[in-house]
Amino acid sequence: MGKLYVVGIGPGGLEHMTIKAKEVILNSEIIVGYTKYIKLIEPLIEGKEVYATGMKGEVERCKKALELSKNKTVAIVSTGDSGIYGMAGLIYELKKDEQIEVIPGLTAATAAASLLGSPLMHDNCNISLSDLMTPYEKIKKRVDMASDADFVISLYNPRSNGRPEYLKECLDIIKKYRKGTTPVGLVKNALRAGEEVIISTLDTFDYQNSDMLSIVIIGNSQSYIKDGKIVTPRGYSIKYEGEV
Ligand code: SAH
């Protein structure tokens, strides 16, 4: 009897993968994943059978992984956490009687947050701007209501060639509720090769710098920039008297 591990490999750099994720990949007979992500873990999978598919091959990939796992130990990999815009959802939707175990990973929002300071220190939410499976009207509604509710917002899939202006439009919605000095962190390739970190504000943010390799984090009404980092206060009663 085989088993399917649904593994979050973290943001990219091997040192940011959990020990458990590494162990499971090393012990799996077959590795399934998106070609680009398979490349990130190449040093761990030498000599293993690999089933890699291109972007948008998700359903096919998950079906294959489930089928192979009937007799073999298989790892299907996602970047970050497989339960956050990763493969865990589809696997559970498609599964019949296969044995499944999800191995969590460090998601892009927390990876980026570690580089930006402490932006996620209060209630926060993730919103994907990809409209491949969610109508844009619903995305905008979520952005609107999350802004109204004063959540710190992490925008996944912020900008692609097919929808170059969604990010700007969503930031305009956020601006209805938050002041122009609200910090905005853009991290491209967090904790992997090509890392870039830009901290600005709703007024100064240049949305054209972001792409599908980036995540954008917008602070709440209390967030501020201190010594080049974004701070979202947890609420302890201390007073910071510097730049706000
Ligand atoms: N399962 C992944 C998310 C996949 S959706 C996770 O938990 O992180 C793909 C989006 O995630 C990208 O468009 C980008 O917005 C974000 N992302 C993933 N890895 C990233 C990284 N290392 N740096 C910045 N953003 C990243």
Side-chain angles (χ1 to χ4, degrees):
M1 175 88 183
K3 180 159 178 175
L4 179 58
Y5 291 98
V6 189
V7 185
I9 61 168
L14 287 183
E15 71 277 29
H16 297 290
M17 183 183 289
T18 67
I19 293 169
K20 178 77 177 177
K22 187 172 173 184
E23 186 187 291
V24 160
I25 289 170
L26 289 172
N27 291 333
S28 291
E29 299 166 87
I30 308 178
I31 310 295
V32 179
Y34 173 35
T35 317
K36 230 170 80 183
Y37 301 162
I38 294 278
K39 280 225 154 25
L40 294 170
I41 54 166
E42 233 159 29
L44 303 179
I45 60 175
E46 243 171 78
K48 290 188 193 291
E49 192 179 328
V50 172
Y51 182 81
T53 56
M55 214 165 75
K56 302 195 176 150
E58 288 95 346
V59 175
E60 180 203 348
R61 201 185 304 150
C62 286
K63 283 187 177 160
K64 189 76 185 176
L66 284 161
E67 180 195 318
L68 293 167
S69 75
K70 290 191 172 132
N71 315 305
K72 299 254 169 105
T73 307
V74 181
I76 181 166
V77 297
S78 294
T79 56
D81 187 283
S82 68
I84 299 180
Y85 314 121
M87 291 294 111
L90 252 183
I91 290 291
Y92 273 110
E93 286 183 66
L94 293 167
K95 101 177 259 288
K96 294 194 180 88
D97 50 7
E98 300 86 352
Q99 278 255 80
I100 313 284
E101 186 174 337
V102 176
I103 310 297
L106 178 58
T107 192
T110 42
S114 72
L115 300 164
L116 293 168
S118 56
L120 303 181
M121 191 48 60
H122 217 291
D123 300 343
N124 60 90
C125 66
N126 300 329
I127 300 178
S128 166
L129 296 195
S130 168
D131 63 353
L132 287 180
M133 279 167 289
T134 308
Y136 186 39
E137 286 310 308
K138 190 167 199 170
I139 295 172
K140 284 193 289 189
K141 181 169 184 187
R142 287 181 176 158
V143 170
D144 190 292
M145 300 195 99
S147 308
D148 192 15
D150 205 23
F151 282 102
V152 174
I153 302 171
S154 300
L155 297 175
Y156 282 68
N157 301 302
R159 188 161 176 265
S160 71
N161 294 335
R163 43 180 176 78
E165 299 303 311
Y166 283 18
L167 177 57
K168 181 186 179 303
E169 289 160 13
C170 287
L171 289 167
D172 285 342
I173 295 174
I174 297 173
K175 280 184 191 165
K176 290 195 301 178
Y177 301 93
R178 298 201 192 158
K179 45 189 197 294
T181 51
T182 304
V184 180
L186 163 67
V187 182
K188 187 169 181 170
N189 291 311
L191 305 180
R192 67 184 178 211
E195 181 179 281
E196 270 177 61
V197 180
I198 303 175
I199 292 182
S200 56
T201 65
L202 277 177
D203 276 343
T204 62
F205 181 71
D206 182 358
Y207 73 98
Q208 306 209 46
N209 285 329
S210 55
D211 56 17
M212 289 298 275
L213 301 174
S214 340
I215 185 163
V216 177
I217 300 182
I218 300 105
N220 69 13
S221 61
Q222 307 303 305
S223 305
Y224 57 91
I225 298 173
K226 175 184 176 183
D227 298 335
K229 297 284 183 192
I230 300 177
V231 182
T232 298
R234 175 77 178 84
Y236 299 105
S237 53
I238 54 162
K239 193 159 166 44
Y240 175 64
E241 314 224 318
E243 178 189 354
V244 177

